[in-house]
Amino acid sequence: MSQRNFVDLKGHKESVEQLCWDPKHADLVATASVDKTVRLWDDRTGKCARLVKLSGPNINIAYKPDGEHIAVVNTNNELTILDVRGFKPIHKKKFNCEVNEIAWNITSDILFVTTGKDDKGDEKGIVQVLSYPSLQPLDNLTAHTAGCNCIAIDPCGRYVAVGSADSLVSLWDISEMLCVRTFTNIESAVRTVSFNQSGEYLASGSIDCFIDIANVQTGRTVHQIPCGPAVNSVDWNPTSNLLAYAGDDNIKGIVRVFGFTSAG
């Protein structure tokens, strides 16, 4: 896999904590920022197309697979569901534990929520499984020995990947909810994971100075992208080998989009 070019998306006043591509419009990417806003960008022009300000600093964001809703989590452990057409909140849920990242399954009837510390300050390594749209609890998946920071769903519907503070990424068979593989390519707490559009590759990042891209079936690294001192979020484009990245660097509020000419 070889790296091509990139474009910067500038406009947030503070750091971008996470981003995600619109699954139905491959030129649009949504970003969640500590500046309390959620923005929708057109990567062809580099311009912000939509903006909404929410109640707190935003740290996580995910698209519903049909592209109709966006889930956003802030530092107050509050989950907000946005309607994309009006770009306004339609549901909210407050959690009594540290909420990290969220992801829908491909049929959009289940929402996975990774959690860190509970209300007693203990880390359980649990992924909460909620029904959608009711947001009622269905199950708890004990995935790691430390807090679960991030999650991604294989676009083919086979796997869910969970990144943890224990520096591991676990790969789970969704039909059986069994762990089939762990990735050990990251050396510190895993902050972000993302499958490419074919489900063949998994990108992950941390405070390490690189983004790791691994083959899902073997767990082996196929490419590493050098970057700043910390990676907050990576997300593959839904139709091509474009990888968007946001991180803690010296330039606040910028998203960078990388392209790849080949895979191997």
Side-chain angles (χ1 to χ4, degrees):
M1 178 173 284
S2 57
Q3 187 178 316
R4 187 170 52 85
N5 56 356
F6 61 85
V7 62
D8 288 338
L9 309 177
K10 300 180 181 181
H12 282 291
K13 303 303 181 184
E14 297 186 58
S15 66
V16 176
E17 294 298 300
Q18 196 174 39
L19 52 86
C20 58
W21 292 92
D22 184 327
K24 299 300 181 182
H25 300 90
D27 297 313
L28 301 178
V29 60
T31 53
S33 173
V34 175
D35 66 12
K36 300 184 181 180
T37 68
V38 173
R39 295 174 184 247
L40 187 63
W41 305 84
D42 188 325
D43 87 323
R44 296 166 297 184
T45 64
K47 303 296 184 182
C48 177
R50 306 293 294 274
L51 180 151
V52 63
K53 190 168 185 176
L54 300 180
S55 61
N58 302 307
I59 55 173
N60 289 297
I61 190 169
Y63 259 103
K64 189 162 166 270
D66 61 12
E68 294 181 357
H69 297 160
I70 296 175
V72 185
V73 170
N74 65 25
T75 56
N76 301 320
N77 300 318
E78 182 179 66
L79 169 68
T80 300
I81 306 295
L82 298 174
D83 174 72
V84 172
R85 287 186 298 177
F87 225 62
K88 295 181 179 179
I90 56 173
H91 300 296
K92 287 189 178 183
K93 181 180 176 67
K94 177 78 172 179
F95 290 80
N96 60 1
C97 61
E98 180 183 84
V99 176
N100 291 319
E101 199 163 295
I102 60 272
W104 274 279
N105 66 341
I106 61 171
T107 54
S108 301
D109 58 345
I110 293 176
L111 189 65
F112 295 91
V113 180
T114 60
T115 66
K117 294 180 180 179
D118 60 19
D119 55 1
K120 296 180 181 178
D122 298 324
E123 289 197 50
K124 302 294 186 181
I126 289 174
V127 178
Q128 292 190 22
V129 185
L130 309 178
S131 63
Y132 193 81
S134 70
L135 300 180
Q136 295 301 306
L138 293 175
D139 199 3
N140 284 333
L141 174 66
T142 303
H144 287 266
T145 57
C148 295
N149 294 336
C150 50
I151 192 166
I153 306 294
D154 165 25
C156 300
R158 301 163 298 179
Y159 305 117
V160 54
V162 181
S164 172
D166 61 12
S167 80
L168 298 175
V169 177
S170 58
L171 187 72
W172 298 76
D173 182 309
I174 289 183
S175 63
E176 302 290 337
M177 277 303 171
L178 294 174
C179 182
V180 297
R181 186 167 297 104
T182 56
F183 299 78
T184 60
N185 307 326
I186 296 294
E187 299 174 0
S188 55
V190 182
R191 289 186 170 192
T192 179
V193 290
S194 178
F195 289 95
N196 79 324
Q197 81 279 4
S198 66
E200 185 179 2
Y201 299 107
L202 183 71
S204 54
S206 67
I207 63 170
D208 298 339
C209 298
F210 60 86
I211 297 167
D212 183 79
I213 301 176
N215 183 286
V216 169
Q217 297 303 320
T218 67
R220 294 178 181 173
T221 295
V222 297
H223 190 72
Q224 288 187 342
I225 303 172
C227 55
V231 179
N232 291 331
S233 181
V234 295
D235 197 48
W236 288 96
N237 184 279
T239 62
S240 62
N241 276 336
L242 291 174
L243 183 70
Y245 143 71
D248 288 341
D249 54 20
N250 293 326
I251 308 174
K252 290 185 177 180
I254 293 179
V255 174
R256 182 154 287 177
V257 182
F258 294 95
F260 297 91
T261 57
S262 63

